[in-house]
């Protein structure tokens, strides 16, 4: 079913089992439902008599949120609000995104996942369907599970996007089993908030394939499957059965794989990227957003691009994925041959610098970046590797707290005395971050070009009183517009150069003020504006590469003028204004007035027209 423009904002949900309400209009209007309509809907005497504005509802919700003493309590409150009044929830999120994003996603979502079995009964009203929990023991019944899900939704709400995890590698917290469901739920909230995906057509899924976490096995309060994880053969057979079932039922659905173990993350992406419309945020999304910030950092570092030496700490799927996309940048943007560009990168893992002659068997994904030019030199840790490589950029995806200690940061500053050091501690959550913004600023005499994976507070330089804003290389800048672009233009698959075009568009999206302040990412308050630009660039690139299937967007890209030619496949991140405006029309947004909400609800002609005040 083709997406419809966001003229009908609000919610279209008519599902009793998911909303808990016999009427979506009454449910999402709540205390703003006009009195005459309450009478017509036989609600007289069943709710308080006061009729208030949406603004008053929002003020009350925000006040209640602020009264919660911990972020986990705030997470629980917001989850219950989302599953009872989705329109109010997204108004609250969009009007307070900077404050609420760290609660519904990182860093709070990490704690929520650890406690998910304990808090699950309090996240939604009883019997609300908020995703699919697919145990290994029920994989052969995937068609029945999908049929059950279909019964819980209206015909108009067939899912167009899913985030799916097996909970085996949640953030930097490890194997959380079924508790990892908090990640798909949180990611999809950001798809809606940042890029305007329709919340009623988002499907979070957890593959409950067991857990190897001893804290959960044998724990009577753990709600997941009480058995160890399967071997690789069993895993792939079961995972592929689920993905095939989903793809058969919803052939146009965009599938995002999330937080699988490193080998399985690469394996699933390799198996499915040309068979179904899919994407792995850990591999492709992380690299995309970091590349966007890295492009800006290279422009500001003060040395030629070809002179950079980049040291990665951590060699999992995210680290290797990021590095490969940075290699593409040097190849595409600076015309450096691939082998020479690859030689600009070094990796450190738990055994030290990764070399081809280190003496251990390297995992398949590490071989590409293993050094062959080290001779007999082997470095056993980060400090030794730092002295050997003398990097201009230090990028952390190690999940090792304070891996970039004062000694490492100070030495980075000394090694880059003639240029600005690039330091990206990207591990999530904050308890896994390699260093903080304040530490990086202090140890580099405030010269650092910084981006982190988690949010850090602004830093005030003591000597001048100048306030500096840390860059946050948060994937929420890129995966929502990639999902939106994919849902709209329906590409056969997502190419590396389409991802690259999004990185370029992200770097291009910085405002003149943001560039003047030396910032690497746009302010979070502009994320919907930026998401529209990135989605437009994604669609434009998909059309250039002849992988887009939706004729509407193909014709729009070919007919509208842009700074880049559709005939050239070079991933430049460009798009036309006509493309941008059309993307914006298709972005869902919550209703800001009762009339907008009423117009968005199904069977609206059954609801009587009633007078309403201008501020409703």
């Amino acid at each position: 079913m083709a997406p419809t423009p966001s003229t009908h904002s609000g919610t279209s949900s008519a599902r009793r089992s998911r909303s808990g309400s016999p009427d979506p209009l009454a449910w999402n209007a709540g205390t703003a439902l006009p009195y005459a309509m309450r009478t017509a809907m036989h609600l007289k005497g069943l709710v308080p008599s006061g009729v208030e504005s949406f603004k008053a509802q929002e003020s009350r919700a925000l006040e209640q949120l602020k009264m919660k003493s911990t972020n986990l309590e705030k997470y629980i409150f917001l989850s219950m609000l989302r599953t009872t009044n989705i329109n109010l929830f997204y108004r609250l999120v969009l009007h307070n995104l900077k404050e609420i994003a760290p609660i519904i996603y990182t860093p709070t979502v990490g704690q929520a996942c650890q406690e998910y079995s304990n808090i699950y009964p309090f996240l939604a009203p009883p019997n609300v369907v908020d995703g699919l929990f697919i145990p290994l023991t029920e994989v052969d019944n995937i068609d029945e599970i999908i049929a059950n899900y279909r019964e819980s939704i209206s015909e108009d709400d067939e899912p167009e996007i899913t985030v799916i995890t097996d909970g085996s590698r949640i953030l930097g917290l490890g194997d959380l089993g079924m508790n990892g469901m908090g990640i798909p739920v949180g990611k999809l909230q950001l798809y809606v908030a940042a890029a305007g995906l329709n919340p009623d057509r988002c499907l979070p899924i957890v593959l409950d394939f067991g857990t190897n976490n001893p804290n959960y096995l044998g724990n009577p309060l753990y709600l997941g499957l009480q058995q160890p994880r399967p071997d690789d053969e069993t895993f792939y057979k079961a995972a592929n059965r689920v993905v095939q079932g989903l793809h058969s039922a919803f052939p146009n659905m965009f599938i995002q794989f999330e937080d699988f173990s490193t080998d399985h993350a690469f394996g699933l992406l390799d198996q499915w990227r040309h068979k179904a419309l899919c994407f792995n945020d850990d591999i492709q999304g992380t690299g995309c957003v970091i590349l966007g910030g890295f492009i800006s950092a290279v422009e500001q570092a003060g040395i030629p691009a070809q002179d950079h030496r980049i040291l990665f700490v951590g060699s999992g799927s995210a680290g290797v994925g990021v590095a490969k996309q940075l290699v593409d940048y040097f190849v595409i943007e600076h015309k450096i041959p691939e082998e020479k560009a690859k030689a600009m990168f070094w990796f450190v893992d738990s055994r030290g610098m990764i070399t081809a002659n280190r003496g251990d068997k390297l995992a398949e994904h590490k071989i590409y970046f293993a050094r062959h030019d080290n001779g007999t030199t082997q470095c056993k840790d980060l400090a030794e590797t730092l002295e050997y490589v003398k990097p201009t950029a230090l990028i952390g995806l190690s999940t090792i707290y304070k891996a970039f200690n004062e000694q490492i940061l100070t030495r980075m500053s000394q090694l880059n005395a003639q240029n600005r050091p690039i330091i990206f501690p990207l591990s999530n959550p904050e308890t896994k971050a390699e260093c903080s913004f304040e530490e990086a600023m202090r140890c580099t005499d405030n010269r650092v070009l910084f981006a982190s994976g988690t949010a850090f507070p602004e830093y005030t330089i003591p000597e001048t009183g100048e306030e500096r804003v840390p860059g946050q290389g948060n994937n929420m800048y890129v995966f929502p517009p990639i999902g939106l672009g994919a849902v709209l233009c329906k590409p056969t698959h997502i190419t590396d150069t389409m991802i690259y075009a999004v990185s370029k568009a992200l770097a291009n999206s910085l405002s003149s003020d943001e560039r003047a302040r030396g910032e690497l990412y746009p302010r979070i308050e502009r994320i919907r504006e930026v998401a529209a630009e990135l989605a437009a660039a994604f669609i434009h690139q998909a059309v250039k590469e002849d992988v887009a299937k939706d004729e509407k967007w193909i014709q729009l890209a070919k007919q509208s003028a842009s700074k880049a030619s559709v005939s050239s496949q070079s991933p430049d991140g460009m798009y036309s204004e006509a493309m941008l405006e059309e993307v914006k029309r298709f972005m869902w947004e919550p209703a800001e007035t009762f009339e907008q909400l009423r117009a968005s609800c199904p069977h609206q002609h059954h609801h009587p027209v009633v007078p309403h005040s201008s501020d409703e």
Side-chain angles (χ1 to χ4, degrees):
M1 180 177 294
T4 54
S6 64
T7 306
H8 301 298
S9 56
T11 179
S12 60
S13 177
R15 52 193 99 164
R16 176 187 291 268
S17 56
R18 292 188 74 185
S19 71
S21 168
D23 190 291
L25 179 61
W27 194 250
N28 284 282
T31 51
L33 191 68
Y35 193 77
M37 189 167 286
R38 296 181 189 187
T39 301
M41 298 171 71
H42 308 289
L43 294 174
K44 185 183 294 185
L46 304 184
V47 294
S49 60
V51 178
E52 61 183 356
S53 67
F54 277 11
K55 186 176 181 180
Q57 285 183 335
E58 195 176 321
S59 296
R60 178 185 292 104
L62 189 59
E63 187 64 30
Q64 288 296 311
L65 180 66
K66 291 177 179 178
M67 289 174 63
K68 307 301 177 185
S69 59
T70 69
N71 282 341
L72 186 60
E73 289 176 322
K74 293 178 181 180
Y75 178 93
I76 295 169
F77 171 82
L78 288 170
S79 179
M80 181 62 76
L81 179 62
R82 178 178 58 85
T83 52
T84 53
N85 190 330
I86 199 169
N87 190 69
L88 174 56
F89 170 79
Y90 280 109
R91 291 205 314 274
L92 197 68
V93 170
L94 288 177
H95 296 164
N96 305 274
L97 186 60
K98 187 175 182 180
E99 294 76 20
I100 292 181
I103 299 172
I104 61 176
Y105 203 59
T106 56
T108 306
V109 73
Q111 183 185 4
C113 285
Q114 290 174 309
E115 299 290 336
Y116 201 79
S117 285
N118 297 327
I119 65 177
Y120 173 77
F122 315 109
L123 299 179
N127 300 319
V128 164
V129 178
D130 197 25
L132 298 183
F133 298 80
I134 305 175
L136 183 63
T137 52
E138 295 290 346
V139 164
D140 288 339
N141 298 318
I142 184 62
D143 295 336
E144 179 186 353
I145 291 172
I146 292 172
N148 291 342
Y149 179 74
R150 284 187 183 276
E151 290 179 7
S152 78
I153 64 175
S154 73
E155 292 182 2
D156 294 333
D157 290 340
E158 183 169 298
E160 58 189 7
I161 181 170
T162 182
V163 176
I164 182 170
T165 186
D166 71 343
S168 57
R169 192 183 60 82
I170 297 298
L171 301 173
L173 301 173
D175 183 355
L176 299 187
M178 184 283 303
N179 286 354
M181 181 55 142
I183 294 296
V185 170
K187 283 260 175 172
L188 287 167
Q189 290 173 49
L190 295 181
Y191 271 108
V192 176
L197 275 294
N198 186 331
D200 287 324
R201 302 186 68 183
C202 295
L203 175 57
I205 299 176
V206 63
L207 302 180
D208 183 8
F209 285 6
T211 178
N212 294 332
N213 190 327
N215 294 326
Y216 301 142
L217 291 173
N219 184 338
L221 296 182
Y222 176 62
L223 293 174
L225 203 59
Q226 294 270 0
Q227 65 183 50
R229 290 190 176 275
D231 58 31
D232 282 353
E233 181 180 356
T234 305
F235 168 84
Y236 281 114
K237 182 179 179 181
N240 289 336
R241 177 70 182 89
V242 171
V243 176
Q244 184 60 60
L246 291 168
H247 183 56
S248 296
F250 312 115
N252 291 321
M253 183 169 68
F254 174 74
I255 300 171
Q256 180 188 314
F257 297 115
E258 181 72 19
D259 284 354
F260 285 83
S261 65
T262 298
D263 290 343
H264 291 167
F266 280 100
L268 284 173
L269 184 63
D270 288 344
Q271 286 188 36
W272 285 99
R273 68 180 305 176
H274 295 291
K275 298 177 183 176
L277 182 56
C278 65
F279 167 78
N280 185 299
D281 189 43
D282 301 305
I283 298 171
Q284 298 164 289
T286 301
C288 179
V289 73
I290 300 312
L291 174 56
F294 189 78
I295 291 171
S296 298
V298 168
E299 292 173 353
Q300 300 179 44
I303 59 173
Q306 65 269 19
D307 292 342
H308 277 283
R309 297 177 302 281
I310 301 103
L311 176 58
F312 272 76
V313 183
S315 58
S317 61
V320 173
V322 169
K324 285 186 175 180
Q325 284 168 278
L326 298 191
V327 169
D328 288 343
Y329 161 69
F330 288 112
V331 172
I332 295 170
E333 194 74 12
H334 298 285
K335 312 304 180 187
I336 300 173
E338 181 181 351
E339 285 302 310
K340 187 174 181 180
K342 184 176 72 171
M344 297 165 65
F345 291 78
W346 287 259
F347 272 80
V348 171
D349 64 10
S350 59
R351 297 190 177 191
M353 184 173 69
I354 297 178
T355 64
N357 62 349
R358 192 169 65 176
D360 59 327
K361 180 176 174 55
L362 296 176
E364 185 68 28
H365 68 278
K366 295 183 182 182
I367 294 174
Y368 179 82
F369 284 107
R371 302 299 301 194
H372 292 264
D373 58 355
N374 56 300
T376 60
T377 301
Q378 304 292 340
C379 301
K380 70 176 184 296
D381 56 24
L382 172 57
E384 285 189 8
T385 309
L386 196 75
E387 291 300 328
Y388 175 73
V389 175
K390 295 179 172 53
T392 58
L394 183 62
I395 299 177
L397 281 156
S398 66
T399 71
I400 300 174
Y401 184 59
K402 303 297 184 186
F404 300 168
N405 56 33
E406 184 174 348
Q407 175 189 352
I408 296 295
L409 294 171
T410 301
R411 187 60 180 141
M412 270 296 291
S413 183
Q414 294 168 348
L415 291 170
N416 294 278
Q418 304 304 314
N419 53 276
R420 297 181 67 182
I422 299 171
I423 298 175
F424 283 16
L426 301 175
S427 294
N428 269 315
E430 185 177 348
T431 54
K432 302 288 185 178
E434 288 82 4
C435 71
S436 70
F437 182 48
E438 179 180 352
E439 290 162 347
M441 288 288 284
R442 285 193 291 101
C443 292
T444 62
D445 297 322
N446 309 315
R447 297 183 304 113
V448 66
L449 291 164
F450 180 94
S452 59
T454 194
F456 284 109
E458 297 174 354
Y459 176 72
T460 302
I461 301 175
E463 296 79 8
T464 65
E466 182 184 355
E467 196 172 72
R468 293 283 184 87
V469 178
Q472 185 184 1
N474 194 316
N475 291 29
M476 70 182 289
Y477 281 112
V478 297
F479 69 77
I482 289 172
L484 176 62
V487 165
L488 293 179
C489 76
K490 298 177 177 57
T492 55
H493 61 285
I494 296 175
T495 67
D496 291 341
T497 40
M498 288 160 67
I499 301 294
Y500 183 92
V502 173
S503 297
K504 281 285 291 181
L506 178 60
N508 294 341
S509 72
L510 288 171
S511 68
S512 56
D513 288 343
E514 289 161 347
R515 293 181 191 278
R517 290 191 294 264
E519 296 175 14
L520 304 183
Y521 293 99
R523 293 293 177 98
I524 197 70
E525 293 85 354
R526 296 202 302 118
I527 195 164
R528 276 179 78 93
E529 168 192 337
V530 171
E533 296 174 5
L534 271 56
F538 176 93
I539 295 171
H540 192 84
Q541 187 66 28
V543 173
K544 289 203 294 184
E545 297 183 31
D546 199 28
V547 297
K549 293 188 299 181
D550 191 291
E551 194 63 29
K552 166 193 171 66
W553 298 96
I554 294 172
Q555 292 305 316
L556 182 60
K558 291 181 176 179
Q559 293 171 4
S560 57
S562 72
K563 296 177 182 177
S565 170
V566 175
S567 61
S568 168
Q569 291 193 6
S570 176
D572 48 31
M574 296 297 184
Y575 52 85
S576 68
E577 285 301 314
M579 177 75 74
L580 177 61
E581 290 306 311
E582 192 65 9
V583 167
K584 289 179 180 178
R585 283 206 321 122
F586 279 79
M587 292 173 69
W588 181 94
E589 56 187 9
E592 297 286 349
T593 67
F594 176 78
E595 279 305 308
Q596 285 183 2
L597 179 65
R598 183 176 182 275
S600 74
C601 286
H603 314 302
Q604 57 195 344
H605 55 280
H606 292 164
H607 296 133
V609 177
V610 295
H612 60 281
S613 63
S614 59
D615 64 340
E616 285 175 353

